[in-house]
Amino acid sequence: MAEKKHSRRDFIIKNATGGIGALLAPTLLAAGGASAAPAIAETLSSKPAILGGSPAWSESRWPKWPRWVPETDEPKVLDVLRSGVWSRAGVVTEFEKEWAGAIGTKRCLAVVNGTNALVVALSQMGVGAGDEVLVPPYTFISTVTAVLSNNAVPVFVDIDPATYQMDPAKIEAKITPRTKVILPVHIMGLPVDMKRINAIAKKHKLLVLEDACQAHFAEIDGKRVGSFGDAGCFSFQNSKNLPIGEGGAIVSNNDQLIDKCFSYTNLGNPYGTAIGSVGTGSFMQGTKLRFSEYQAAVGLAMLKRLDQETTIRNENAAYLSQLLKDIPGLVPQKTYPDATRSAFHLYAMRYNADAFRGLKRDDFLKSLRAEGVPCSSGYTRLNVQPFLAQTFGTQTYRKIYSKKELDIATYNKNNHCPENDKLCSEAVWFTQNMLLAERSDMEFIAAAIKKTYNNADQLKASLK
Ligand SMILES: *Cc1c(COP(=O)(O)O)cnc(C)c1O
């Protein structure tokens, strides 16, 4: 019976598609989850949706994000709202304890967002005027603006082309007497090579701050990222794997560092280890970036699902990668051997237009979107964006740095990142919520891509 079913499915797929459609069948069958096969065969045989055919999928069928389950998520939030205690108090402390426990660090400080978590962590690690911080170019802008907010200079370390992460092999060439912190980013939620980076930091007496804003519950050797550096930063912005709307956290095993961060984000009021070293009153210059009670209550609700959701994302990402192996010209982002779990805030891969017979990446993306598969081209080249020259032109920077140091042509030359340039021109992203769909739904992503591949010539001619 099973034998018969397999061969029938095989038959449908092979005959419906021609091209590389036939290649899909063995993978689907080997994976043993081919319930979607007849529907896929149908979609593969129709015209590309962008040219008037029926779409592979309906965009509205992907899981919505964020998720909200009134029965389980609302009681605590309502309690907080009705209590009238909305400014930082016990629920924020509870959330911080839970988050520190989950990541495996001694301490956690919740703040308004991930951007300011980075700004504050860097400032309290001592980064300021005249310092350099090593950053990767393939990241969200906040990684870099956090350095500039502290009047320091971001120095770009090009990426490892396979993993898209800051390449450890390229770090030492960028270290100068001014380097203070290495700031790697677990990009897309896949872990950085922290062991190598920590070893380099130790050798050169540098601090390490992990930007884990996309990497909730990603692991290296079973240990969660954010706990490897001197400190780690998380974001709880709406799109992130633990969404609160806005929110961020700094985690660390260093009491003094977190206490200083606490004081800084609470108007300079002494906290923890700082109490006793001073009398009353603010002992340091500070600002106010406090988290609020109802945000923490939302966070606690989201935290209950994070582990299970992370497992589902990993399983679906692995299945999708397996399906994409059959399609020439697509290479998913890789992890280092010691990465035991990823967060998959995004699923990223490289698109090789030549393998798609010259179909441009933008047209590939348009076709996928028309098939009901949302996607994007991802980051643009951060290391050449105008905000850098703008900052270097400010009075503050001109007071701190020499004309030569602020010469943007020289800066761009020293911060040239050819591997990143290439990735920015080739990347294709899917968002994390898509990986929360059914396992068989991954087959529709592969089918949309396959259909685009099979019709690449016609698409190229029509989408001029
Ligand atoms: C989202 C993000 C941030 C900033 O977090 P916000 O909470 O949005 O301020 C920083 N770094 C990376 C890599 C991010 O993805």
Side-chain angles (χ1 to χ4, degrees), residues 196-207:
R196 268 182 85 188
I197 289 182
N198 278 348
I200 295 165
K202 199 170 168 200
K203 181 174 155 198
H204 295 271
K205 298 194 168 58
L206 303 174
L207 296 172

Side-chain angles (χ1 to χ4, degrees), residues 112-118 138-144 185-188 211-215 233-240 245-249 345-346 379:
V112 290
N113 54 42
T115 303
N116 277 288
L118 290 163
Y138 203 66
T139 184
F140 186 64
I141 189 168
S142 296
T143 315
V144 176
V185 183
H186 303 282
I187 205 65
M188 314 282 107
D211 182 339
C213 287
Q214 301 185 355
C233 290
F234 288 90
S235 165
F236 308 123
Q237 185 271 342
N238 233 55
S239 71
K240 302 293 159 88
E246 297 293 349
H345 175 59
L346 292 149
Y379 294 132

